Amino acid sequence: MKKLIIFAFLGLSTLAFSQNVKKAAIVVPAEQAKLESQKKAAEEKAKLPKPYDPKADAQADINKLVAQAKKEGKNIMIQAGGNWCIWCLRFNNFVQTTPELKELAEKNYVYYHLNYSPENKNEKVFAQYGNPGEKFGYPVFIILDKDGKMIKAQQSDVLEEGKGYSKEKVKEFFTTWAPKKG
């Protein structure tokens, strides 16, 4: 009887151990893939321009942009986010390196990168626009008319395509919220 109990115990132990090994074997590749993905994102982030300035006086900058927008008959495009945000950096780079989008932005908007980071959350500035980053995440776009009145807060995920952004969707977004001329 003792031998039967010992064999049963060993059999069950082996079965239990093999189940744990299978789980561990599944977890390791998943963790490895996650680490690889994080490494690739960090490498990409290191190469992209960093347009956000945590030390900037955002309210003073926006006040200057309103004066400039009035003078030039443009709207104000505020891209809110931070240098920590890969999607923020991707969007900036996408617009800057896509001639058609860069031209649309320069023609219709004065553009500003509003920083949100642990160093400077710009809470008062974000509060006056209803804290869209809390609702949509980052980047988030805040469009002001030439008088500084908010006319749109837009989440960025609807402009995404794969690991980047859709040229057609961004073009439509820029065109839709451009100032009405005429």
Side-chain angles (χ1 to χ4, degrees):
M1 186 68 172
K2 283 185 183 178
K3 286 183 182 178
L4 184 62
I5 291 173
I6 291 172
F7 280 124
F9 177 75
L10 288 174
L12 289 173
S13 297
T14 303
L15 181 65
F17 179 75
S18 70
Q19 293 300 314
N20 286 338
V21 169
K22 286 179 186 173
K23 286 180 186 174
I26 292 169
V27 170
V28 171
E31 287 298 315
Q32 187 66 31
K34 183 178 177 184
L35 289 173
E36 284 296 318
S37 176
Q38 289 172 340
K39 181 181 173 189
K40 283 182 183 177
E43 288 170 358
E44 179 186 0
K45 195 185 295 185
K47 294 176 187 174
L48 294 171
K50 310 295 185 286
Y52 297 92
D53 182 2
K55 296 179 185 128
D57 181 342
Q59 189 60 62
D61 290 348
I62 291 169
N63 292 344
K64 289 176 191 169
L65 291 175
V66 170
Q68 181 183 346
K70 277 183 188 178
K71 190 170 114 182
E72 297 177 11
K74 296 179 178 180
N75 284 346
I76 300 160
M77 173 73 67
I78 299 174
Q79 180 183 327
N83 294 327
W84 53 267
C85 167
I86 189 70
W87 284 97
C88 301
L89 301 180
R90 282 177 181 159
F91 189 85
N92 175 67
N93 191 61
F94 182 63
V95 171
Q96 295 303 312
T97 60
T98 307
E100 188 177 358
L101 297 177
K102 185 175 182 178
E103 183 182 321
L104 256 176
E106 289 174 353
K107 178 182 171 191
N108 295 297
Y109 301 96
V110 289
Y111 211 98
Y112 186 68
H113 291 89
L114 175 58
N115 183 74
Y116 178 84
S117 67
E119 304 88 24
N120 186 354
K121 294 182 180 182
N122 281 306
E123 292 169 309
K124 288 181 183 178
V125 175
F126 278 103
Q128 65 188 330
Y129 303 121
N131 294 310
E134 289 179 9
K135 182 177 180 183
F136 298 126
Y138 296 96
V140 65
F141 306 98
I142 304 165
I143 297 126
L144 311 178
D145 67 13
K146 65 181 180 4
D147 298 315
K149 178 180 172 249
M150 186 173 91
I151 55 176
K152 177 71 174 169
Q154 174 71 53
Q155 72 265 34
S156 65
D157 62 342
V158 297
L159 306 175
E160 293 174 11
E161 186 173 82
K163 294 262 184 218
Y165 290 93
S166 161
K167 179 180 171 185
E168 290 308 311
K169 290 176 184 177
V170 174
K171 182 179 172 184
E172 181 183 340
F173 170 62
F174 280 176
T175 303
T176 299
W177 297 101
K180 307 300 179 231
K181 304 202 176 184

PDB file of all heavy atoms in Angstrom, residues 94-108 174:
ATOM      1  N   PHE A  94       5.866  62.386 -38.431  1.00  0.00           N
ATOM      2  CA  PHE A  94       5.051  62.077 -39.610  1.00  0.00           C
ATOM      3  C   PHE A  94       4.658  63.366 -40.339  1.00  0.00           C
ATOM      4  O   PHE A  94       4.793  63.470 -41.559  1.00  0.00           O
ATOM      5  CB  PHE A  94       3.807  61.285 -39.181  1.00  0.00           C
ATOM      6  CG  PHE A  94       2.912  60.863 -40.309  1.00  0.00           C
ATOM      7  CD1 PHE A  94       3.372  59.996 -41.293  1.00  0.00           C
ATOM      8  CD2 PHE A  94       1.610  61.302 -40.384  1.00  0.00           C
ATOM      9  CE1 PHE A  94       2.544  59.583 -42.334  1.00  0.00           C
ATOM     10  CE2 PHE A  94       0.772  60.902 -41.407  1.00  0.00           C
ATOM     11  CZ  PHE A  94       1.244  60.041 -42.397  1.00  0.00           C
ATOM     12  N   VAL A  95       4.171  64.346 -39.592  1.00  0.00           N
ATOM     13  CA  VAL A  95       3.757  65.611 -40.201  1.00  0.00           C
ATOM     14  C   VAL A  95       4.971  66.337 -40.789  1.00  0.00           C
ATOM     15  O   VAL A  95       4.922  66.835 -41.913  1.00  0.00           O
ATOM     16  CB  VAL A  95       3.012  66.509 -39.192  1.00  0.00           C
ATOM     17  CG1 VAL A  95       2.770  67.910 -39.750  1.00  0.00           C
ATOM     18  CG2 VAL A  95       1.680  65.866 -38.795  1.00  0.00           C
ATOM     19  N   GLN A  96       6.059  66.377 -40.052  1.00  0.00           N
ATOM     20  CA  GLN A  96       7.250  67.102 -40.503  1.00  0.00           C
ATOM     21  C   GLN A  96       7.914  66.470 -41.723  1.00  0.00           C
ATOM     22  O   GLN A  96       8.576  67.169 -42.487  1.00  0.00           O
ATOM     23  CB  GLN A  96       8.270  67.224 -39.366  1.00  0.00           C
ATOM     24  CG  GLN A  96       7.791  68.074 -38.207  1.00  0.00           C
ATOM     25  CD  GLN A  96       7.399  69.486 -38.631  1.00  0.00           C
ATOM     26  OE1 GLN A  96       8.133  70.151 -39.344  1.00  0.00           O
ATOM     27  NE2 GLN A  96       6.232  69.919 -38.205  1.00  0.00           N
ATOM     28  N   THR A  97       7.765  65.166 -41.899  1.00  0.00           N
ATOM     29  CA  THR A  97       8.436  64.484 -43.007  1.00  0.00           C
ATOM     30  C   THR A  97       7.501  64.116 -44.156  1.00  0.00           C
ATOM     31  O   THR A  97       7.929  63.486 -45.120  1.00  0.00           O
ATOM     32  CB  THR A  97       9.157  63.202 -42.514  1.00  0.00           C
ATOM     33  OG1 THR A  97       8.191  62.320 -41.936  1.00  0.00           O
ATOM     34  CG2 THR A  97      10.242  63.541 -41.505  1.00  0.00           C
ATOM     35  N   THR A  98       6.238  64.520 -44.056  1.00  0.00           N
ATOM     36  CA  THR A  98       5.278  64.297 -45.139  1.00  0.00           C
ATOM     37  C   THR A  98       4.953  65.658 -45.740  1.00  0.00           C
ATOM     38  O   THR A  98       4.179  66.420 -45.150  1.00  0.00           O
ATOM     39  CB  THR A  98       3.994  63.599 -44.610  1.00  0.00           C
ATOM     40  OG1 THR A  98       4.371  62.422 -43.894  1.00  0.00           O
ATOM     41  CG2 THR A  98       3.049  63.239 -45.743  1.00  0.00           C
ATOM     42  N   PRO A  99       5.555  65.999 -46.875  1.00  0.00           N
ATOM     43  CA  PRO A  99       5.437  67.354 -47.427  1.00  0.00           C
ATOM     44  C   PRO A  99       4.008  67.883 -47.535  1.00  0.00           C
ATOM     45  O   PRO A  99       3.753  69.036 -47.175  1.00  0.00           O
ATOM     46  CB  PRO A  99       6.086  67.235 -48.814  1.00  0.00           C
ATOM     47  CG  PRO A  99       7.061  66.115 -48.663  1.00  0.00           C
ATOM     48  CD  PRO A  99       6.419  65.141 -47.710  1.00  0.00           C
ATOM     49  N   GLU A 100       3.082  67.054 -47.985  1.00  0.00           N
ATOM     50  CA  GLU A 100       1.695  67.504 -48.133  1.00  0.00           C
ATOM     51  C   GLU A 100       1.083  67.896 -46.785  1.00  0.00           C
ATOM     52  O   GLU A 100       0.386  68.906 -46.676  1.00  0.00           O
ATOM     53  CB  GLU A 100       0.879  66.390 -48.796  1.00  0.00           C
ATOM     54  CG  GLU A 100      -0.518  66.800 -49.177  1.00  0.00           C
ATOM     55  CD  GLU A 100      -1.277  65.690 -49.889  1.00  0.00           C
ATOM     56  OE1 GLU A 100      -0.705  64.597 -50.122  1.00  0.00           O
ATOM     57  OE2 GLU A 100      -2.444  65.911 -50.218  1.00  0.00           O
ATOM     58  N   LEU A 101       1.360  67.115 -45.749  1.00  0.00           N
ATOM     59  CA  LEU A 101       0.817  67.414 -44.419  1.00  0.00           C
ATOM     60  C   LEU A 101       1.514  68.630 -43.805  1.00  0.00           C
ATOM     61  O   LEU A 101       0.864  69.483 -43.198  1.00  0.00           O
ATOM     62  CB  LEU A 101       0.959  66.202 -43.507  1.00  0.00           C
ATOM     63  CG  LEU A 101       0.182  64.955 -43.926  1.00  0.00           C
ATOM     64  CD1 LEU A 101       0.458  63.804 -42.970  1.00  0.00           C
ATOM     65  CD2 LEU A 101      -1.309  65.248 -44.017  1.00  0.00           C
ATOM     66  N   LYS A 102       2.815  68.705 -43.966  1.00  0.00           N
ATOM     67  CA  LYS A 102       3.570  69.840 -43.433  1.00  0.00           C
ATOM     68  C   LYS A 102       3.067  71.139 -44.056  1.00  0.00           C
ATOM     69  O   LYS A 102       2.852  72.134 -43.367  1.00  0.00           O
ATOM     70  CB  LYS A 102       5.064  69.646 -43.690  1.00  0.00           C
ATOM     71  CG  LYS A 102       5.920  70.721 -43.064  1.00  0.00           C
ATOM     72  CD  LYS A 102       7.397  70.441 -43.241  1.00  0.00           C
ATOM     73  CE  LYS A 102       8.189  71.535 -42.537  1.00  0.00           C
ATOM     74  NZ  LYS A 102       9.617  71.315 -42.627  1.00  0.00           N
ATOM     75  N   GLU A 103       2.840  71.115 -45.366  1.00  0.00           N
ATOM     76  CA  GLU A 103       2.340  72.304 -46.067  1.00  0.00           C
ATOM     77  C   GLU A 103       0.943  72.690 -45.574  1.00  0.00           C
ATOM     78  O   GLU A 103       0.659  73.865 -45.341  1.00  0.00           O
ATOM     79  CB  GLU A 103       2.307  72.029 -47.576  1.00  0.00           C
ATOM     80  CG  GLU A 103       1.866  73.220 -48.402  1.00  0.00           C
ATOM     81  CD  GLU A 103       1.787  72.892 -49.891  1.00  0.00           C
ATOM     82  OE1 GLU A 103       2.657  72.153 -50.395  1.00  0.00           O
ATOM     83  OE2 GLU A 103       0.837  73.381 -50.544  1.00  0.00           O
ATOM     84  N   LEU A 104       0.071  71.706 -45.407  1.00  0.00           N
ATOM     85  CA  LEU A 104      -1.284  71.969 -44.890  1.00  0.00           C
ATOM     86  C   LEU A 104      -1.225  72.597 -43.502  1.00  0.00           C
ATOM     87  O   LEU A 104      -1.952  73.548 -43.216  1.00  0.00           O
ATOM     88  CB  LEU A 104      -2.068  70.656 -44.803  1.00  0.00           C
ATOM     89  CG  LEU A 104      -3.119  70.361 -45.844  1.00  0.00           C
ATOM     90  CD1 LEU A 104      -3.702  68.978 -45.622  1.00  0.00           C
ATOM     91  CD2 LEU A 104      -4.196  71.403 -45.891  1.00  0.00           C
ATOM     92  N   ALA A 105      -0.380  72.043 -42.647  1.00  0.00           N
ATOM     93  CA  ALA A 105      -0.251  72.562 -41.283  1.00  0.00           C
ATOM     94  C   ALA A 105       0.280  73.990 -41.302  1.00  0.00           C
ATOM     95  O   ALA A 105      -0.265  74.876 -40.632  1.00  0.00           O
ATOM     96  CB  ALA A 105       0.653  71.657 -40.453  1.00  0.00           C
ATOM     97  N   GLU A 106       1.331  74.233 -42.063  1.00  0.00           N
ATOM     98  CA  GLU A 106       1.938  75.572 -42.103  1.00  0.00           C
ATOM     99  C   GLU A 106       1.012  76.611 -42.725  1.00  0.00           C
ATOM    100  O   GLU A 106       1.013  77.770 -42.321  1.00  0.00           O
ATOM    101  CB  GLU A 106       3.266  75.524 -42.860  1.00  0.00           C
ATOM    102  CG  GLU A 106       4.346  74.798 -42.083  1.00  0.00           C
ATOM    103  CD  GLU A 106       5.640  74.594 -42.869  1.00  0.00           C
ATOM    104  OE1 GLU A 106       5.683  74.893 -44.089  1.00  0.00           O
ATOM    105  OE2 GLU A 106       6.611  74.122 -42.241  1.00  0.00           O
ATOM    106  N   LYS A 107       0.217  76.203 -43.695  1.00  0.00           N
ATOM    107  CA  LYS A 107      -0.697  77.115 -44.381  1.00  0.00           C
ATOM    108  C   LYS A 107      -1.871  77.538 -43.489  1.00  0.00           C
ATOM    109  O   LYS A 107      -2.337  78.672 -43.559  1.00  0.00           O
ATOM    110  CB  LYS A 107      -1.220  76.434 -45.651  1.00  0.00           C
ATOM    111  CG  LYS A 107      -2.218  77.246 -46.436  1.00  0.00           C
ATOM    112  CD  LYS A 107      -2.706  76.458 -47.651  1.00  0.00           C
ATOM    113  CE  LYS A 107      -3.865  77.170 -48.311  1.00  0.00           C
ATOM    114  NZ  LYS A 107      -4.511  76.315 -49.310  1.00  0.00           N
ATOM    115  N   ASN A 108      -2.349  76.610 -42.655  1.00  0.00           N
ATOM    116  CA  ASN A 108      -3.595  76.844 -41.932  1.00  0.00           C
ATOM    117  C   ASN A 108      -3.476  77.035 -40.420  1.00  0.00           C
ATOM    118  O   ASN A 108      -4.439  77.451 -39.785  1.00  0.00           O
ATOM    119  CB  ASN A 108      -4.549  75.674 -42.195  1.00  0.00           C
ATOM    120  CG  ASN A 108      -4.955  75.605 -43.639  1.00  0.00           C
ATOM    121  OD1 ASN A 108      -5.593  76.510 -44.160  1.00  0.00           O
ATOM    122  ND2 ASN A 108      -4.561  74.532 -44.320  1.00  0.00           N
ATOM    123  N   PHE A 174      -6.721  67.858 -40.717  1.00  0.00           N
ATOM    124  CA  PHE A 174      -6.150  69.195 -40.898  1.00  0.00           C
ATOM    125  C   PHE A 174      -7.064  70.065 -41.762  1.00  0.00           C
ATOM    126  O   PHE A 174      -7.226  71.256 -41.498  1.00  0.00           O
ATOM    127  CB  PHE A 174      -4.761  69.105 -41.525  1.00  0.00           C
ATOM    128  CG  PHE A 174      -3.644  68.755 -40.584  1.00  0.00           C
ATOM    129  CD1 PHE A 174      -2.366  68.572 -41.088  1.00  0.00           C
ATOM    130  CD2 PHE A 174      -3.839  68.612 -39.221  1.00  0.00           C
ATOM    131  CE1 PHE A 174      -1.305  68.251 -40.236  1.00  0.00           C
ATOM    132  CE2 PHE A 174      -2.799  68.288 -38.368  1.00  0.00           C
ATOM    133  CZ  PHE A 174      -1.528  68.110 -38.872  1.00  0.00           C
TER     134      PHE A 174
END
